[in-house]
Amino acid sequence: MLRLHDIAILGGTPAGYAAAYYLAKKKCDVVVLDVPQQGAQCPLADWVSADFFHLPHLPRDLAKACKAQAFKTVVYHSNDLSRTAEQRSASNVGHFLQTSELTRVLAAAAKKAGAKIRTSTTPPAIRLDEDHVELVGSAQVAARLLIFVQGRPNDALGDLALPARTIGPSPLVVAGLDCHIDEPLDGALHVLELPERTELGVFFCVGNLLHLRVISSSAASLTRAAELSAMVSVLQRGKLLPTNLPLGRARGAVWRPPAGMALELETHLAKRSVLAGTAGGFAEAITGQALVPTVASAILAAEAGLAALGTQDVQDALTGYEKAWRKQLEGRLRPPTTPFQMLLPLMFANKKVAQKLTQALLTGEGI
């Protein structure tokens, strides 16, 4: 007989471990099943808006523990580097961090609080019974409730056999590169206008780790590696990056964040199950930034799960999750009426536009 936990969390992501930490602190018998990643969110260096470390129920001093670096400035560059626009704030507007370090710290905090962590080398099959849920892979887990946080929405819908229409692929594809650099950059988030109007470049440093990424909202004519290479070449010619980058030892990744797809799902609930994280389509529409909405959605799902454990009408209690995430996250998931890339040239001549676009870039809020 499998041990029956209170709540199982499918996905060893920051969202999954944040929810597990909260539930364990509430004396809930929670287990996280860590399964292979599916390319839905950034595995490299990343940034979060300033509100991330103020989300409720996260461990104290999380920013310090994961060595996050605060930034106050966003610098925009035209595609030929002839124009710049700088937005500097008196207070922090965000943090740079390494996703792997954030995941490690949250996993350690969840484990210390009492959460169990299991690893499956294969994606598990999901069995939804009347009184419990089973995850069956190379490791098996059973629980009264399931919070599904990892992967793509369409895959999650299929795994849960939800009677929902298939939604289209994510509108964004992101290619990123982490490379060590001898001299760190200036501590700002840099945004680069690219020749292709459906693309956006971003670069910054976390200590001596340089991160570069290209965010594309359409099928690009070049390969992702070529897009990154072209961006690096432009920045090197403009002397914004050194010419001796050890790109041969760099770490790269391509992922397809489910940008704003939470708004397209007909439901985030199945029998004794809740969709959160990237599995629920929680990623910002402009940049595909996933850490803030995935972690926030997972904590909201955990709160709904706790409420459901205390009642006989489990499904009715879980419906509170739908209302909660829409109230708190809908604004930063909704796509802008005009693409960010199309408005980017305006900010070089209009400071008010620059301020508005910076807020949209950092928080995902509508333009």
Side-chain angles (χ1 to χ4, degrees):
M1 287 289 294
L2 287 175
R3 172 179 173 179
L4 187 64
H5 300 273
D6 289 331
I7 296 180
I9 297 174
L10 180 52
T13 65
Y17 290 127
Y21 170 79
Y22 164 68
L23 289 167
K25 294 287 284 187
K26 292 291 185 179
K27 307 304 180 186
C28 177
D29 180 8
V30 58
V31 59
V32 178
L33 185 62
D34 187 6
V35 298
Q37 300 288 326
Q38 296 178 315
Q41 64 188 107
C42 176
L44 306 174
D46 210 347
W47 78 89
V48 291
S49 54
D51 57 347
F52 178 76
F53 291 108
H54 298 290
L55 289 174
H57 311 309
L58 290 179
R60 291 182 60 185
D61 299 322
L62 178 59
K64 181 179 179 181
C66 70
K67 302 175 184 176
Q69 298 177 11
F71 67 93
K72 299 180 179 181
T73 305
V74 182
V75 182
Y76 299 92
H77 306 268
S78 62
N79 59 46
D80 60 1
L81 304 182
S82 64
R83 295 173 295 168
T84 61
E86 181 177 295
Q87 286 294 299
R88 184 183 296 274
S89 175
S91 56
N92 296 334
V93 295
H95 288 78
F96 302 130
L97 50 78
Q98 294 188 46
T99 304
S100 58
E101 187 66 9
L102 175 66
T103 304
R104 184 192 68 78
V105 170
L106 285 171
K111 189 173 182 179
K112 184 176 180 180
K116 285 76 177 176
I117 300 174
R118 302 283 303 280
T119 300
S120 176
T121 57
T122 59
I126 301 175
R127 298 174 182 169
L128 305 180
D129 292 327
E130 288 301 320
D131 60 350
H132 74 285
V133 178
E134 288 188 22
L135 306 177
V136 183
S138 63
Q140 297 187 40
V141 168
R144 295 169 64 192
L145 299 174
L146 170 66
I147 300 176
F148 195 156
V149 302
Q150 181 176 307
R152 299 183 178 92
N154 278 332
D155 296 335
L157 294 175
D159 289 343
L160 294 174
L162 282 171
R165 62 182 176 87
T166 299
I167 56 179
S170 169
L172 296 184
V173 180
V174 185
L177 196 68
D178 279 352
C179 178
H180 284 280
I181 189 170
D182 292 334
E183 294 292 333
L185 301 182
D186 53 10
L189 175 65
H190 291 265
V191 180
L192 178 64
E193 179 190 22
L194 295 178
E196 172 58 55
R197 290 299 188 193
T198 59
E199 296 179 353
L200 188 70
V202 175
F203 63 101
F204 58 86
C205 269
V206 188
N208 286 83
L209 186 68
L210 170 68
H211 177 79
L212 305 109
R213 74 174 62 175
V214 173
I215 303 163
S216 177
S217 57
S218 71
S221 57
L222 299 175
T223 65
R224 304 303 166 191
E227 292 164 2
L228 280 169
S229 178
M231 176 177 159
V232 169
S233 295
V234 168
L235 295 173
Q236 288 177 326
R237 288 197 299 269
K239 298 183 179 180
L240 293 177
L241 293 180
T243 58
N244 61 342
L245 289 176
L247 296 176
R249 298 195 300 273
R251 181 185 175 210
V254 177
W255 63 99
R256 189 180 286 273
M261 293 173 74
L263 301 174
E264 300 183 42
L265 268 64
E266 294 178 6
T267 181
H268 284 75
L269 304 179
K271 185 187 295 183
R272 292 185 172 270
S273 304
V274 178
L275 286 175
T278 56
F282 291 95
E284 294 173 5
I286 294 174
T287 63
Q289 226 299 329
L291 283 175
V292 177
T294 57
V295 170
S297 68
I299 291 173
L300 292 172
E303 291 177 335
L306 277 182
L309 290 174
T311 178
Q312 291 187 347
D313 195 341
V314 171
Q315 292 305 120
D316 185 61
L318 291 179
T319 60
Y321 167 67
E322 294 273 15
K323 298 174 184 177
W325 79 252
R326 287 189 177 276
K327 180 179 179 180
Q328 296 191 31
L329 298 174
E330 189 169 7
R332 67 194 308 158
L333 300 175
R334 191 169 299 284
T337 54
T338 303
F340 184 92
Q341 292 92 326
M342 299 298 290
L343 296 173
L344 187 55
L346 300 177
M347 71 170 52
F348 298 112
N350 190 320
K351 194 168 185 177
K352 288 185 178 180
V353 172
Q355 292 171 342
K356 193 171 183 66
L357 290 185
T358 299
Q359 180 67 14
L361 178 82
L362 293 173
T363 67
E365 295 287 348
I367 300 173

